[in-house]
Each structure stands twice: as structure tokens, then as C-alpha cells.
């Protein structure tokens, strides 16, 4: 996507989520749509023993706060471009470090993190650029965990007028490989049978 088009798209998305932040916190929406994927990512972080973690496109900070409270790592960062989201995140927790920035240019030095995670937002990113920057900020052996909506086709382009794209499982593996990440796990997020139409996928990769 041309740089100008990407910038306009990012501005539109950021503006929308700044206004929609209160709706994002609705318990029903969180429980049914977002929480299952977040729970699986937290399980990955626990298994990997990650101590310095960044949640990208953190929204109102629900998952970053869960990471801090449930895993007690050394450092937890929540990164988002929407100031409306970050205002609610800062009110939620003082134990998480909240930062403003895009997924494609993270506000971290090279090789400083054990894990970079993002849930339910990857379709909005410049995906190759974001994964390249995730790789940059990871230490050797660090992991990236990404959940994506609609990975099984049919909704790969979320709207006809939008550049938002939800990759297939095969596309995710290619994207990870292209960024220098070895895929170590990939599966559909586990949900109750009645909500299975909400199809999302977890992909985990490791930096060599």
C-alpha cells in the first residue's frame, strides 16, 4: 500500500477507536469476542517464561493489565496509536507502561523484549512491516504471538473499500518466515461451539 494511503487509513482507524474506546470495554463484547484469544496468548507467555512483554494495539489495556496481574513479569508495555484508548488504559493500571506508537515503528530499542503480542488488530497493520519491527525489538529466542480474525477465507478483505486484511494460515506462516520468525505453534482459538462463527487463529513464532 502506498505510504500516503497507509497514513490516511491509520488516521481513520486511530480516530475511530479513540471515539469507540468506551464500547470496547463492554463486558459482553470482551467476554465473547476478545477474551478467548487473550487467554491463549497469556498461556503462551506463561509457557515461554517471558519477562519483558509488549502488547501492541493494546486498546484500553485489558490484556496488558491481565498480563501484569496474572504473570507478574519484570516489564509490561501497552502500545497503541489511539489516545482515547490509552487514556482508559492509563486509568486501568499504573503498573503497565503505556506508550504511543504504530505497530510498524515500535518505541523500543533493538533486542530488548522477550515477547511481542497482539490480538484482534493485525488486520489493520502493514503486516510485513509490523512483523519486521516485532523481530527487531525481540531478543534472540524471543516470541511473537498474533491472533487474527477470519483466517479461514471468505473475509480475507474485511471491506471492499478497506486495506484491512485478515491472512489465511498459510499467509501467516509466509509472513512470519519473511520476517525471520520460525512458526512454533498455529491453531484456531478455542471457543464455545455456539460462537464458532467468530473464527480466529493464533500464530506463534520464535526469533532465531
Amino acid at each position: 500500500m502506498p505510504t500516503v494511503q497507509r497514513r490516511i487509513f491509520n488516521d481513520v482507524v486511530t480516530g475511530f477507536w479513540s471515539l469507540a474506546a468506551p464500547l470496547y470495554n463492554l463486558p459482553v463484547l470482551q467476554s465473547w469476542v476478545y477474551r478467548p484469544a487473550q487467554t491463549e496468548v497469556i498461556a503462551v507467555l506463561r509457557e515461554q517464561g517471558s519477562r519483558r512483554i509488549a502488547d501492541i494495539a493494546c486498546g484500553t489495556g485489558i490484556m496488558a493489565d491481565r498480563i501484569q496481574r496474572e504473570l507478574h513479569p519484570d516489564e509490561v508495555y501497552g502500545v497503541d496509536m489511539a489516545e482515547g484508548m490509552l487514556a482508559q488504559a492509563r486509568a486501568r493500571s499504573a503498573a503497565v507502561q503505556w506508550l504511543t506508537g504504530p505497530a510498524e515503528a515500535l518505541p523500543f530499542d533493538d533486542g530488548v523484549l522477550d515477547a511481542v503480542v497482539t490480538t484482534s488488530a493485525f488486520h489493520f497493520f502493514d503486516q510485513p512491516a509490523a512483523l519486521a519491527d516485532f523481530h527487531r525489538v525481540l531478543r534472540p529466542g524471543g516470541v511473537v504471538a498474533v491472533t487474527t480474525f477470519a483466517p479461514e477465507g471468505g473475509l480475507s478483505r474485511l471491506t471492499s473499500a478497506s486495506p484491512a486484511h485478515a491472512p489465511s494460515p498459510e499467509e501467516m506462516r509466509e509472513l512470519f518466515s519473511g520476517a525471520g520468525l520460525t512458526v512454533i505453534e498455529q491453531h484456531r482459538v478455542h471457543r464455545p461451539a455456539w460462537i464458532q462463527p467468530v473464527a480466529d487463529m493464533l500464530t506463534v513464532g520464535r526469533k532465531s
Side-chain angles (χ1 to χ4, degrees):
M1 182 191 306
T3 301
V4 173
Q5 185 182 1
R6 166 58 60 178
R7 186 179 301 116
I8 293 171
F9 177 65
N10 284 349
D11 289 345
V12 170
V13 171
T14 299
F16 170 79
W17 282 115
S18 288
L19 294 173
L23 297 176
Y24 182 83
N25 282 332
L26 288 174
V28 170
L29 184 66
Q30 284 296 323
S31 178
W32 291 356
V33 178
Y34 296 111
R35 189 175 180 86
Q38 294 170 358
T39 297
E40 293 206 14
V41 168
I42 289 171
V44 169
L45 296 173
R46 180 180 287 110
E47 179 182 354
Q48 296 296 321
S50 304
R51 305 302 304 168
R52 295 177 299 279
I53 303 161
D55 176 21
I56 311 306
C58 66
T60 61
I62 291 173
M63 186 169 76
D65 178 50
R66 284 188 63 191
I67 291 169
Q68 194 279 323
R69 290 186 292 103
E70 296 178 25
L71 302 182
H72 306 289
D74 298 333
E75 300 172 10
V76 184
Y77 300 91
V79 182
D80 205 285
M81 292 179 63
E83 287 300 329
M85 288 288 197
L86 287 173
Q88 296 208 26
R90 293 185 180 103
R92 183 182 304 280
S93 174
V96 177
Q97 300 183 58
W98 307 106
L99 303 173
T100 304
E104 301 84 2
L106 298 174
F108 301 105
D109 292 334
D110 296 356
V112 297
L113 298 176
D114 296 321
V116 176
V117 303
T118 186
T119 59
S120 310
F122 191 69
H123 49 280
F124 291 128
F125 300 165
D126 179 333
Q127 294 162 2
L131 285 172
D133 215 49
F134 293 0
H135 181 278
R136 176 187 67 80
V137 302
L138 281 179
R139 65 166 176 79
V143 296
V144 171
V146 178
T147 68
T148 50
F149 282 133
E152 298 179 351
L155 290 174
S156 62
R157 185 68 63 182
L158 298 184
T159 73
S160 60
S162 170
H165 175 66
S168 69
E170 294 77 15
E171 288 174 325
M172 283 297 287
R173 290 194 291 270
E174 291 177 3
L175 284 164
F176 270 55
S177 177
L181 298 162
T182 300
V183 173
I184 59 174
E185 184 176 351
Q186 187 180 63
H187 64 261
R188 186 169 176 173
V189 171
H190 302 293
R191 294 178 176 276
W194 65 270
I195 203 171
Q196 282 302 314
V198 180
D200 47 358
M201 175 181 63
L202 170 67
T203 304
V204 182
R206 189 185 306 282
K207 179 175 179 177
S208 301

